[in-house]
Amino acid sequence: MAPQNTERQPWKEAVIYQIYPASFKDTDSDGWGDLPGIISKLDYIRSVGADTIWLSPIYASPQNDMGYDVSDYRSIHAPYGTLEDVDRLISELRARDMKLWMDLVVNHTSNEHEWFKVSRRSRDSAKRDWYFWRDPKYDAEGIRKPPNNWKGMFGGSAWTYDETTGQYYLSLFLPSQPDLNWTNSELREAVHDDIRFWLDHGVDGFRIDSMNLMSKHPDLPDGEITCPDEEYQSGDKWFASGPRMHEYLQELRTKVFDAYNAVTVGELGFTKDEESVSKYVAKSRHEINMLFTGDIIDMDFGPNGKYTPGGGFHPRQLRSLTEKWQTAMPRFDGWNTLYLDNHDSGRSVSRYGSDDPRYRTYAAKMLATYLTTLSGTLFLLAGQEIGMANLPKDMGIDQYIDVEGKNYYNKVLQSRGGDHSKMADIMKELQLKARDHGRLPMQWTDGPNAGFTSPEACPWMTVNPDHKLGWNVETQQDDPNSVLSFWKESLAFRKKFVDVFIYGSFEMLPESATHEKVVAYKRKDHSSDKEALVLLNFSDQNSTVTIPWVTRWVVLRGNYSTAPIRGEMIALRPYEAVVYCSGFSI
């Protein structure tokens, strides 16, 4: 078994509850979630078993990308509330022994940020070098072209032409999201000051958005031509994990975060290999505490990108990634993040389990068992604890509003002559992976608008109609067999047996020893004889496994009301999860 990092820290044992503020709880009937709504639900969040909340961006923003386009880092987007509301939220969290993490979006700003307004005024502006400005290129016919061939994250060129000074600025996401130039020391100091502003208010940690894009190759060279039929190419080789990335993070750690004992988790795009990851999270590097590598929510991507057909999920992908990171982190003294859902993905029960009414409860509980029996800090997206699923498949493209998915759909639609009847393959991908699913309004009741907002209000996005079918907090709250109750129990067991499930060693059982659709692994306490075996059947069919030695063990947890039949073989039912244990005093 691979040994685990046994240095105990509160943040390692924490349960982080991610809230997408627009979608959580609306108290003023404008159809948009707000800070008072979050405050009103803190007792509920604590009852689930979470001790920290992470807020997706609440800063002042024109909302071209749902707050990931910040126009003022020290102000609050008015529909969410005020700075005083944030202070009250922090006070209420403290009263419950809970913490607050915020999203830190400092790879780019909004084009409405004062820094950018000053930067674009003239080529001699004092803040010109706070962003990336470059002259156009011209082809043989004299047609103006961007400075390089990089493709933007949401399609099109990664450069935006500005008539004011006749130059392009780099905007890897939307044209309204210009990238900051971190090579400028004055810019870095300004960012540091804005971070301190929130730490002084009592924020305990940050999730750093698009973290490793903050350092680009200084020459900004063309990306390799891998798609000859397209004008723009991926430039991630040159804009991700650039030459000064680790310098910037170490500077942030020593100049800002350490003084406040702040915890950080970085979003790491395009960089998923063990060696690169180790340089960010190894304790000796003194950079960040944890990473979201993203590979766990990329498992069903197509061969040419998120929404391209030809992808699909198989349990062996999960088996491989789980073994990789559970065994790699201890080798370089790093720490894992545990998650299956976030605001940039479809709901895991629909992607990796089943939202078929026959299996949905079992699948949701199985995924809960997976997350709560691994080493790492656990991240739970609001609604995951009640088994929230993707939008129904009979909802058309008009119900999808997120810029990423809509832009991709429209690009393919144009290439197919504008014929929506030819878009079934793309709709299938959106129905699984669109960011809209992770941003659906929270389902509190079976009443109008799922209790997210008042009956007469118009929610900012579609409410999943399945809230009327028992997929809501009110219905599940007092049901001992509900997904919500199972999550509460699972988190309680995790905290009761931290030596096994958080700090214990890990061993994956190979597919050859179990079944291709079964993920199986052992956890063991370093200092005692406590051991656990976790069996997860990622299938709507019965699966049998043969593990003779487990016949001497007892069942600790399961997602069915009865234990599986056990003889020479263990017969697992559809989406069954069972945890066997040895040496436990239950």
Side-chain angles (χ1 to χ4, degrees):
M1 283 192 175
Q4 188 53 274
N5 182 337
T6 55
E7 181 191 23
R8 291 177 177 248
Q9 291 287 350
W11 54 267
K12 292 182 178 180
E13 301 174 24
V15 176
I16 318 298
Y17 190 86
Q18 183 190 359
I19 293 174
Y20 202 69
S23 299
F24 193 63
K25 178 63 179 173
D26 171 29
T27 61
D28 58 7
S29 298
D30 64 354
W32 189 269
D34 47 48
L35 289 164
I38 294 170
I39 294 169
S40 74
K41 296 297 184 180
L42 291 183
D43 286 336
Y44 164 75
I45 296 170
R46 196 72 179 98
S47 76
V48 173
D51 43 44
T52 301
I53 65 170
W54 152 31
L55 298 184
S56 291
I58 57 172
Y59 313 105
S61 166
Q63 299 293 317
N64 290 319
D65 187 20
M66 290 303 296
Y68 285 91
D69 48 328
V70 179
S71 57
D72 185 348
Y73 288 107
R74 302 192 187 198
S75 297
I76 303 299
H77 184 53
Y80 290 140
T82 64
L83 188 56
E84 289 71 28
D85 288 324
V86 178
D87 290 336
R88 185 161 68 93
L89 172 62
I90 292 172
S91 176
E92 294 289 344
L93 285 166
R94 293 287 183 272
R96 293 165 175 81
D97 195 26
M98 297 174 70
K99 299 181 184 297
L100 174 64
W101 290 8
M102 292 178 68
D103 238 303
L104 183 61
V105 190
V106 288
N107 172 70
H108 48 268
T109 67
S110 165
N111 61 356
E112 295 184 20
H113 195 292
E114 187 61 27
W115 297 345
F116 187 74
K117 291 179 181 178
V118 172
S119 182
R120 79 188 307 178
R121 285 175 189 163
S122 75
R123 295 193 180 200
D124 299 323
S125 166
K127 288 184 171 58
R128 187 67 169 183
D129 194 40
W130 286 32
Y131 296 85
F132 293 90
W133 292 93
R134 297 292 186 272
D135 288 327
K137 289 183 177 179
Y138 292 90
D139 65 15
E141 286 73 39
I143 298 173
R144 187 187 71 232
K145 297 288 184 180
N148 67 29
N149 68 350
W150 293 357
K151 178 170 60 177
M153 303 292 187
F154 300 144
S157 174
W159 294 87
T160 302
Y161 186 69
D162 188 60
E163 297 281 357
T164 307
T165 58
Q167 284 189 314
Y168 284 87
Y169 62 85
L170 182 64
S171 49
L172 286 176
F173 291 86
L174 292 174
S176 56
Q177 292 171 290
D179 280 58
L180 289 166
N181 178 12
W182 273 68
T183 64
N184 185 292
S185 60
E186 291 181 357
L187 175 276
R188 296 202 304 277
E189 286 299 327
V191 170
H192 295 174
D193 285 343
D194 282 343
I195 297 172
R196 291 189 190 98
F197 173 84
W198 289 107
L199 290 167
D200 286 337
H201 271 269
V203 171
D204 301 286
F206 295 95
R207 175 262 190 185
I208 307 175
D209 180 70
S210 303
M211 179 197 69
N212 65 314
L213 307 188
M214 294 189 297
S215 175
K216 283 86 169 169
H217 189 286
D219 297 334
L220 307 180
D222 278 345
E224 180 184 355
I225 298 176
T226 55
C227 300
D229 296 335
E230 296 188 13
E231 182 176 4
Y232 303 112
Q233 307 294 317
S234 176
D236 61 275
K237 177 180 178 180
W238 308 114
F239 64 63
S241 294
R244 298 183 66 183
M245 190 65 249
H246 297 290
E247 172 194 341
Y248 298 153
L249 290 176
Q250 290 166 3
E251 183 179 64
L252 274 167
R253 181 77 178 263
T254 55
K255 287 189 173 183
V256 184
F257 296 135
D258 278 354
Y260 297 86
N261 199 29
V263 181
T264 53
V265 54
E267 181 185 30
L268 190 70
F270 306 99
T271 308
K272 307 180 192 303
D273 64 282
E274 182 178 330
E275 181 181 0
S276 298
V277 166
S278 70
K279 292 177 181 177
Y280 287 100
V281 296
K283 185 181 177 183
S284 61
R285 299 281 301 180
H286 205 65
E287 295 188 15
I288 59 173
N289 299 106
M290 298 170 282
L291 282 173
F292 293 131
T293 56
D295 45 13
I296 205 75
I297 56 170
D298 295 356
M299 291 186 291
D300 57 355
F301 281 18
N304 296 310
K306 181 174 182 178
Y307 298 118
T308 60
F313 168 70
H314 191 284
R316 66 171 55 98
Q317 298 164 291
L318 185 72
R319 184 186 300 111
S320 174
L321 287 172
T322 303
E323 181 175 28
K324 174 182 178 180
W325 295 119
Q326 288 289 301
T327 58
M329 286 294 177
R331 285 199 292 271
F332 47 76
D333 202 8
W335 193 250
N336 272 300
T337 54
L338 305 174
Y339 64 102
L340 288 173
D341 294 62
N342 67 23
H343 62 289
D344 282 334
S345 68
R347 293 280 177 170
S348 60
V349 74
S350 297
R351 296 172 71 190
Y352 308 142
S354 175
D355 52 21
D356 183 314
R358 294 172 295 173
Y359 308 121
R360 181 169 166 183
T361 294
Y362 297 119
K365 292 179 179 180
M366 181 195 67
L367 295 175
T369 304
Y370 168 79
L371 287 170
T372 55
T373 56
L374 293 172
S375 290
T377 300
L378 198 153
F379 290 78
L380 187 63
L381 178 64
Q384 192 174 353
E385 76 277 15
I386 59 169
M388 279 182 63
N390 287 354
L391 287 170
K393 293 179 174 57
D394 59 359
M395 288 190 170
I397 188 61
D398 56 313
Q399 299 294 323
Y400 290 78
I401 63 176
D402 176 59
V403 62
E404 179 193 72
K406 290 284 280 191
N407 280 5
Y408 186 82
Y409 182 93
N410 289 332
K411 173 188 172 184
V412 177
L413 178 67
Q414 183 179 12
S415 72
R416 297 178 180 180
D419 187 347
H420 288 275
S421 68
K422 297 179 179 178
M423 297 295 289
D425 57 338
I426 304 302
M427 276 306 303
K428 181 180 178 181
E429 303 303 320
L430 288 170
Q431 288 161 355
L432 277 175
K433 307 169 204 169
R435 300 196 301 183
D436 304 73
H437 304 301
R439 305 174 181 192
L440 296 173
M442 182 65 179
Q443 295 166 200
W444 296 105
T445 73
D446 61 5
N449 291 325
F452 158 69
T453 186
S454 60
E456 66 276 6
C458 179
W460 74 278
M461 77 172 303
T462 305
V463 174
N464 196 323
D466 70 6
H467 72 276
K468 300 175 182 177
L469 303 175
W471 299 103
N472 65 79
V473 172
E474 185 177 62
T475 300
Q476 295 190 26
Q477 188 80 61
D478 298 319
D479 178 0
N481 297 314
S482 69
V483 174
L484 176 57
S485 293
F486 190 86
W487 261 105
K488 290 179 179 181
E489 294 164 4
S490 298
L491 290 172
F493 266 89
R494 177 177 173 81
K495 292 197 173 186
K496 182 177 180 180
F497 301 115
V498 295
D499 291 323
V500 176
F501 296 121
I502 297 181
Y503 297 111
S505 57
F506 175 91
E507 179 185 357
M508 180 68 75
L509 273 63
E511 179 179 324
S512 60
T514 55
H515 184 282
E516 67 168 357
K517 294 294 182 72
V518 173
V519 176
Y521 47 87
K522 290 177 68 176
R523 305 302 315 280
K524 188 178 189 308
D525 177 14
H526 293 281
S527 57
S528 75
D529 59 356
K530 293 189 183 75
E531 291 185 90
L533 171 69
V534 181
L535 300 179
L536 308 167
N537 182 20
F538 281 82
S539 172
D540 60 4
Q541 304 294 315
N542 293 330
S543 300
T544 57
V545 299
T546 304
I547 307 176
W549 47 264
V550 84
T551 58
R552 304 186 303 273
W553 293 20
V554 299
V555 173
L556 177 66
R557 301 259 311 136
N559 64 344
Y560 276 73
S561 59
T562 59
I565 297 172
R566 181 171 56 175
E568 286 190 9
M569 295 186 297
I570 301 170
L572 297 174
R573 290 158 286 193
Y575 298 103
E576 182 161 17
V578 60
V579 181
Y580 293 99
C581 67
S582 174
F584 278 62
S585 177
I586 304 172

